[in-house]
């Protein structure tokens, strides 16, 4: 019963973002994640100034999930730490979990048929109208197989200007790089499969927001720290 109440409270109290906040976050994510393109890439006049592309909405959504969910991001860093034993990963997870970031920077996403999902249309409309990003659909009439997101030169310029004029957005630049390091070049389907390994993610009811795992991740961090201290003492 208590768990159910917590889930309800989480749904009610979860912070939400504005269209403008989403637009800036998505712009900085696309700027960081875009793969470079050799010019000219196409005869599409709208893409003449394209400087990079993120291929596939699935990949963009899964990267955005970790960007919006510091608790899940930190827990995945702990997963990688357990596999590799690299102290830097434990330190990075600790930087997140020892702070209020999982509470104040967490914007939970909906559990959709293909995992974490949030409509991007409003944010992309802002970016398209400003000439920063262009979305292109691939497939046949009546059936889209993939969306690609092209970053235009103006988009890259604005991304740099935003961070220079509003240093608070440096947070997203740093976290985008951490998310990309964690993703390690994996495509959308591979990222989806990894995220589904989290029980709270996989078992969330469709149409509800994926709940927080910050308490579990912090408990796990404490245990791993204890084990690392014991190991260091033995090695010494």
């Amino acid at each position: 019963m208590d768990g159910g109440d917590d889930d309800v409270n989480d749904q009610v109290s979860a912070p939400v973002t504005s269209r403008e906040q989403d637009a800036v976050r998505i712009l900085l994510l696309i700027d960081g994640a875009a793969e470079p393109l050799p010019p000219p890439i196409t005869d599409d006049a709208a893409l003449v100034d394209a400087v990079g592309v993120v291929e596939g909405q699935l990949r963009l959504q899964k990267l955005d999930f970790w960007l919006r969910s510091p608790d899940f991001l930190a827990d995945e860093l702990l997963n990688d730490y357990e596999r590799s034993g690299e102290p830097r990963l434990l330190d990075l997870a600790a930087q997140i979990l020892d702070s209020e970031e999982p509470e104040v920077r967490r914007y939970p996403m909906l559990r959709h048929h293909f995992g974490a999902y949030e409509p991007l249309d409003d944010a992309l409309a802002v970016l398209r109208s400003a000439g920063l990003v262009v979305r292109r659909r691939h497939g046949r009439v009546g059936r889209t197989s993939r969306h690609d997101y092209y970053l235009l030169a103006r988009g890259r310029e604005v991304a740099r200007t935003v961070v220079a004029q509003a240093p608070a957005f440096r947070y997203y630049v740093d976290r985008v790089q951490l998310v990309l390091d964690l993703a390690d070049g994996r495509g959308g389907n591979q990222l989806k499969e990894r995220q589904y390994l989290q029980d709270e993610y996989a078992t969330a009811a469709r149409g509800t927001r994926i709940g927080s795992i910050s308490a579990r991740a912090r408990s796990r961090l404490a245990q791993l720290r204890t084990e690392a201290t014991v190991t260091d003492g033995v090695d010494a």
Side-chain angles (χ1 to χ4, degrees), residues 48-197:
V48 169
D49 293 330
V51 294
V53 62
V54 176
E55 295 184 345
Q57 180 177 179
L58 189 61
R59 176 172 168 77
L60 186 63
Q61 292 275 4
K62 302 318 168 200
L63 294 174
D64 195 29
F65 171 73
W66 279 333
L67 190 58
R68 293 170 53 138
S69 309
D71 48 347
F72 280 89
L73 174 60
D75 200 58
E76 292 293 354
L77 291 169
L78 294 179
N79 284 338
D80 281 359
Y81 167 73
E82 287 195 302
R83 283 189 284 266
S84 70
E86 185 179 346
R88 184 183 73 92
L89 297 172
L90 186 65
D91 291 342
L92 288 170
Q95 289 173 22
I96 296 172
L97 296 172
D98 287 343
S99 72
E100 295 182 345
E101 186 176 332
E103 286 72 42
V104 301
R105 294 287 192 175
R106 178 175 172 269
Y107 299 99
M109 293 178 72
L110 293 168
R111 164 71 158 80
H112 197 253
H113 180 67
F114 297 108
Y117 171 83
E118 198 72 20
L120 300 176
D121 290 348
D122 285 350
L124 288 170
V126 173
L127 300 178
R128 286 198 305 270
S129 65
L132 310 181
V133 171
V134 172
R135 177 176 61 183
R136 284 291 178 262
R137 296 178 173 86
H138 300 276
R140 62 178 185 270
V141 177
R143 184 175 179 82
T144 299
S145 60
R146 193 180 79 223
H147 292 92
D148 289 343
Y149 304 89
Y150 291 89
L151 178 69
L152 303 183
R154 175 63 177 160
R156 177 146 290 168
E157 177 186 345
V158 168
R160 304 293 192 269
T161 301
V162 164
V163 174
Q165 294 182 350
F169 285 114
R170 167 59 59 180
Y171 165 83
Y172 282 116
V173 175
D174 294 339
R175 284 293 172 264
V176 164
Q177 188 55 58
L178 189 55
V179 165
L180 293 174
D181 290 344
L182 183 65
D184 194 25
R186 295 179 180 89
N189 282 311
Q190 291 172 303
L191 296 178
K192 179 186 71 173
E193 290 169 2
R194 175 165 181 170
Q195 291 173 2
Y196 264 116
L197 294 176

